[in-house]
Amino acid sequence: MLILVVNCGSSSVKYKLMDMKEEKALLSGLAERIGLPGSRIKHKKNDGKELQLEQDLPDHKAALEKIIECITDKEYGAVNDISEIAAVGHRVVHGGEKFNKAVLINEELIDTLESLYELAPLHNPPNVLGIKTCQELMPHAPQVGVFDTAFHQTIPDYAFNYALPYEYYEKYGIRKYGFHGTSHKYVSGRAAAILGKPLTDLKVIVCHLGNGSSITAVKNGQSVDTTMGFTPLAGLPMGTRSGDIDPAIVPFLMEKENLSPEEVSNIMNKKSGVLGVSGISSDFRDLENAQAEGNKRAELALNMFIYHVKKWIGAFSAAMGGLDVVVFTGGIGENAIDLRAKVLADMSYLGIEVDSDRNNVRGKEAIITKEGCSTVAMVVPTNEELMIAKETQALVIK
Ligand code: ADP
């Protein structure tokens, strides 16, 4: 069975065609700068053949039409006809409280998704646009929505509620939702498989550390808490996002700097995090290089990030009453060897001791703690597309 996985952003479409027999991608690509000057498509087949199209893409429909041309191309494609694609799985950022699992899309569901726009104004509208456009261009294929928030719907009320007047939860749905759910679910499942133990018997902490970072406590296979919140701004400091700060700083800054709500939100989402602290870059490779050259603010930004990851591992171990596995994933988690070692330093109280040879690994599954540790640490590269394709397949086959 062939499943197309689609991730529509406001000006981009990422796609991957998955062969579910092999659980492998046949091709993948990215259409970017949609509706802007300089739009293009980067397309790659798994045999290494690459295509770079400088192409006018006025809207998402034009982008998806061109993507379908690439997928069915004799040289760069993987199918003769688009009808060979059995189903399309869409990444949808926000499922609110309405969706605790993936769903087969119908007209009624589109209305429900549209009712969630307020919760994710930047992400959900392009996601829904992608679904509608694929319905139009591939009417034969069932469309499935897979939500970033769904995995976290098992978080208990005492962990997802904010200590605000309760009416705001009732009126506006203000609560913790959590994000990166597809990644946390996939990675915790892989961790159990690597250990050869049932996930339902394990206490797992997944550290998804990338441009956006979040940590999730997965107890007996269910998300019981996560660091992101009402929006993906909460929790850890990130590339450009502040993560948790004292909420009183917001009105203070608005008054002092004469900022509108939009301006202050822009500062916290785009100008903060390790970029804001270092003044150099949001990319951890740049920060590590700057630190090596003696840049103190790069060092501070990295130390802050490491400290917060460490703190959440402790907090979630307490929340779960113990810890069996801590897993690193995402661009930073999979690649930043030194950072992982620093996060896990002085954790023998949790039964963790890093093996520096084993930890000398990038981008592949590996256990990085010493033999015999009571708590295992590991690296598991995330594969959100495979997870989306699997959930899509499960709904289509039923
Ligand atoms: P996204 O959240 O956009 O999916 P990724 O998970 O791909 O992002 O993570 C991207 C980040 O991973 C980069 O910004 C960079 O900071 C970090 N990264 C990638 N490779 C390395 C590396 N070798 N060492 C340290 N950090 C790295």
Side-chain angles (χ1 to χ4, degrees), residues 180 208-212 282-285 288 330-332 335-336 362:
H180 289 145
H208 178 116
L209 312 178
N211 281 324
S282 63
D283 192 303
F284 279 63
R285 287 161 292 198
E288 286 175 349
I332 301 163
N335 294 300
R362 290 185 206 274

Side-chain angles (χ1 to χ4, degrees), residues 5-16:
V5 177
V6 173
N7 181 355
C8 271
S10 56
S11 64
S12 70
V13 178
K14 276 190 208 154
Y15 60 95
K16 226 175 208 185

